[in-house]
Structure formats: structure tokens, C-alpha cells
Amino acid sequence: AGLVVFLCFPLLHKHTYYSENALLQGAAALGFSATHVQNAKTIASMMKNKEKDEVVSFLFARLQDMGLDTELQQFSHADNEGVNIWSVLRSPRGDGTTAMLITARFPDSAADNGRSLQSTSFLLAFLDYLTTTSWLSKDVIVVLTPASSPKHDALDSFLASYHGDSLHTPGMQRADIWSALCIDIPPTAFSTLVIGIEGRSGQLPNLDLVNAAVNSASAMRFHA
């Protein structure tokens, strides 16, 4: 009997469900609109064909204009050197002790294929939207790393400094990072969304967040 129940499990299980009752995608209005998408396109055009120093200055000023606490981090990892841009969007409902990290790679060379340009411009437009919301309960830490840097060197350097004592943060409280999201958008049109599930020390992340992302993508006619 136990073997029969096991073999029938795909037919008996509850499929996708949420443990967190607050994650009700159909109960909230979509705030990120075509206006924000157009804003992302405008930001991309403003960064296109700029030199590295110009891009860094543009991003730094743009984040500050949004009201975010913003700093530059000079890093050296193995034989690689560069600069990270990081900011903190303060939660209107939180106490500054917990945070979510969002990262993207910014274009810092003429050889950039457009992927980092799209990712960074989308992230800035999304942040612009988040500054108008009142439901954030955690701070949002934003880390922009140079696209020419080896894949994880820049972010590894930031995290080591953030959790250590070498990061210059005048007046900036360091919150515990509970989750992280890396944005990587291709330069051409796409219809499939890939969600890389990765947690700390080999553990899986919060499945509610993954299910919410998959269902939301499906509702917008993306295959995820």
C-alpha cells in the first residue's frame, strides 16, 4: 500500500502552494508599468558608448538623485582591480537590521555586448519604482559590479568587505543580508525566464519566493 501511495504522489500532491499568506500575486495591482520600462530604455541610451569613468559617475549620481546612500568601493581580488558601486534603499517600515541584496554588472568597456547595459538600466528603473512604494519591510542593498571583472571577483570582494571591517561606510548601518538577487538580462528579445535556485551552504532558498516568481512570470506569458 505504501508503494502504491508513493507511485501516486504526483497525482496527489498539492502542486504549487505558499506558506506565506502575504504572497498573493492576484490580490495586488501591478505597479511596475510600461512607463518604468521606457525609463530603463532611456537610462540604457544615456549609458551607451560611454567610457568606464563616465559610466561610474553617471550611476553614482543617478543613485544619489534617487535618495539612496551611495558609496564607491575600490577592490583588488587576485590580479583584478576595479570599482564597485553600492547603495542602500532604506525601508519605510523596517528598522535597518535586515536587508535584501540586488546586484547587476555595469558596462565598463566598449566591448560590452549589451547584456550588462540592459541589466543595469532595468535595475535602476526598478529602484526608481521601489522608492515610490510603502510596503518594503527590509532595506535593499544594491551592488553594481564592473562587467569586465571575472564573474565573481567583484561581488566576492564587496561581501568580504561588507562582513568585515574594511568597507568605508560613514553613517551607514550594515544590515544582515537575508536574500540576494542577481539580475542578468540578454540584449535581445526573450520569452523564457531562467531562475537559478541557489542558497547558502548548499541549502535551497525560500521556495515561496521562487514559486511567486514562476507564477508571476507565467501570468505575464513568460515560460519559467
Side-chain angles (χ1 to χ4, degrees):
L3 180 60
V4 172
V5 172
F6 178 79
L7 294 176
C8 293
F9 179 75
L11 301 175
L12 300 175
H13 78 294
K14 295 181 180 180
H15 299 284
T16 299
Y17 68 95
Y18 299 96
S19 301
E20 176 54 64
N21 294 328
L23 289 175
L24 300 174
Q25 299 92 340
L30 182 63
F32 193 83
S33 63
T35 302
H36 298 97
V37 174
Q38 185 57 47
N39 185 24
K41 293 180 179 179
T42 301
I43 294 172
S45 65
M46 295 172 70
M47 287 193 296
K48 196 171 184 178
N49 299 323
K50 287 186 179 293
E51 298 296 330
K52 174 183 176 180
D53 291 344
E54 293 179 300
V55 173
V56 170
S57 297
F58 171 79
L59 294 174
F60 187 87
R62 188 88 184 192
L63 290 167
Q64 283 194 321
D65 289 344
M66 292 183 194
L68 277 64
D69 297 328
T70 307
E71 296 285 343
L72 298 179
Q73 181 216 5
Q74 302 289 338
F75 70 89
S76 178
H77 192 283
D79 296 329
N80 179 40
E81 295 183 353
V83 59
N84 291 327
I85 309 167
W86 74 287
S87 295
V88 180
L89 172 60
R90 301 297 178 186
S91 163
R93 300 175 57 187
D95 56 4
T97 59
T98 58
M100 176 180 182
L101 185 146
I102 305 180
T103 182
R105 292 157 69 84
F106 67 83
D108 64 337
S109 69
D112 183 79
N113 62 5
R115 181 180 291 270
S116 58
L117 185 68
Q118 297 296 331
S119 302
T120 303
S121 59
F122 170 82
L123 177 52
L124 288 182
F126 183 58
L127 282 174
D128 196 27
Y129 160 67
L130 287 181
T131 59
T132 65
T133 65
S134 60
W135 43 260
L136 278 177
S137 59
K138 290 181 175 62
D139 291 349
V140 178
I141 300 173
V142 181
V143 183
L144 300 176
T145 62
S148 61
S149 174
K151 193 169 184 180
H152 298 299
D153 284 4
L155 190 57
D156 284 348
S157 178
F158 169 79
L159 291 174
S161 299
Y162 184 86
H163 294 297
D165 297 321
S166 60
L167 198 62
H168 181 59
T169 56
M172 294 173 69
Q173 179 180 350
R174 300 190 202 182
D176 292 334
I177 299 174
W178 281 44
S179 56
L181 176 65
C182 178
I183 297 178
D184 187 16
I185 300 176
T188 56
F190 60 95
S191 59
T192 300
L193 180 65
V194 178
I195 302 174
I197 303 175
E198 185 175 349
R200 295 180 58 185
S201 303
Q203 298 180 353
L204 293 176
N206 188 325
L207 188 58
D208 282 347
L209 296 179
V210 177
N211 288 335
V214 171
N215 283 358
S216 297
S218 299
M220 300 183 70
R221 300 181 182 178
F222 281 96
H223 178 69

